[in-house]
Amino acid sequence: MQFVDWLWLIHPALAVVVVYPLLGMVLRAARQTRDQRVLKQTFPAAVGKNHADLGTWLTTTVTGIVLFAEVVVITTANPLAEFSGGPGRLFQLFLVLVGSIVAFLALLNVRKLIYRSTFALLCWIGILTLGMQPEVFRRSDNPLDPEFWQSHYWSGIVLTGLMLISLAMRYAIYRNIRWRRLHLSLNIFAALIFVVQGISGPRDLLEIPLSWQKSTIYSCNFDNRTCPQPSDQASPLPQTP
């Protein structure tokens, strides 16, 4: 493996090592918080705050590794000297990246719902903008195509949006039961998407060749599942008498 291959591996590695363990802790704390509120079961007083804090860490990690993956894919698709669109486009994408990070940091530091929702939306739009670049592989952009619903990319985009929405409504759910119910519904959906991501991610890893293999692998016909015969076939061994 070359350095660029290790860069591509960081995204799934962080998902396995950080995101899914955090998800387990968030779900456990969520169950304890609900049982404490609805069933009046006895848990430590801080269980609700722990759930919210862990949820913030989970959203931060998901957002971070998605942005990291998009940056790696865009900047390693071709040598930077041959970057499509030149320095101008590269600078524009850099501004989108910085804007997404700034919007997320602002989301963490404001409390009013309208501001939190605005910064969450701006961050998600930045993530979507980077993800829609031609260097980023997407199975399909057509919702009528079955491949669209099998896309690791699109389910990841939806999941990130759900996580940002949940983080935006953190303080609202303390005061209004309707927000609390919406928060619960969205995060049940998000948990299902996490399962889908856990399946589609390893599938895509199987399909991504190492950097030195790409020129050969991508010359294949993926529809017919055929590859051209190599031109440098070894000469046959001489026949023994």
Side-chain angles (χ1 to χ4, degrees):
M1 290 178 62
Q2 298 179 347
F3 177 70
V4 65
D5 300 313
W6 287 106
L7 284 178
W8 280 59
L9 197 59
I10 291 176
H11 170 80
L14 287 176
V16 172
V17 175
V18 180
V19 172
Y20 281 91
L22 265 177
L23 175 63
M25 290 187 283
V26 169
L27 293 177
R28 182 175 185 272
R31 178 60 185 270
Q32 290 178 338
T33 302
R34 184 182 184 280
D35 289 347
Q36 184 183 58
R37 181 182 296 115
V38 177
L39 303 180
K40 307 302 180 183
Q41 294 187 6
T42 303
F43 291 102
V47 66
K49 183 178 184 303
N50 289 340
H51 169 59
D53 290 344
L54 287 168
T56 299
W57 278 105
L58 179 62
T59 304
T60 301
T61 307
V62 168
T63 303
I65 68 171
V66 168
L67 284 172
F68 178 82
E70 291 177 338
V71 169
V72 168
V73 171
I74 291 172
T75 57
T76 61
N78 296 295
L80 290 181
E82 303 173 10
F83 188 76
S84 176
R89 175 172 173 256
L90 185 62
F91 181 68
Q92 290 176 348
L93 295 178
F94 176 74
L95 291 180
V96 174
L97 172 65
V98 172
S100 302
I101 296 173
V102 170
F104 185 79
L105 293 176
L107 167 61
L108 296 177
N109 287 280
V110 296
R111 295 181 68 91
K112 287 188 176 181
L113 180 61
I114 182 63
Y115 297 146
R116 293 178 68 85
S117 301
T118 300
F119 287 125
L121 179 61
L122 289 174
C123 180
W124 187 78
I125 289 175
I127 291 173
L128 182 61
T129 300
L130 291 174
M132 291 300 293
Q133 301 307 306
E135 293 87 355
V136 179
F137 173 74
R138 302 180 299 277
R139 291 185 174 272
S140 174
D141 292 334
N142 181 8
L144 300 179
D145 185 349
E147 288 289 318
F148 177 88
W149 300 100
Q150 302 173 34
S151 174
H152 184 76
Y153 166 80
W154 280 113
S155 57
I157 288 293
V158 172
L159 177 61
T160 307
L162 291 174
M163 301 301 294
L164 290 169
I165 291 172
S166 295
L167 182 57
M169 65 174 67
R170 171 175 178 173
Y171 299 105
I173 64 177
Y174 297 153
R175 300 186 297 269
N176 191 311
I177 192 172
R178 293 182 179 178
W179 285 107
R180 195 176 304 149
R181 289 171 177 168
L182 178 60
H183 171 78
L184 177 62
S185 301
L186 291 178
N187 282 280
I188 290 175
F189 184 39
L192 294 175
I193 297 180
F194 268 113
V195 175
V196 173
Q197 289 292 89
I199 298 171
S200 62
R203 176 208 60 194
D204 285 2
L205 281 178
L206 289 174
E207 297 180 352
I208 299 174
L210 297 176
S211 55
W212 61 271
Q213 300 172 335
K214 287 183 178 180
S215 59
T216 300
I217 299 297
Y218 290 154
S219 66
C220 298
N221 186 317
F222 292 94
D223 293 328
N224 297 328
R225 298 184 180 181
T226 58
C227 292
Q229 293 296 323
S231 58
D232 56 345
Q233 289 182 341
S235 57
L237 292 176
Q239 297 292 328
T240 57

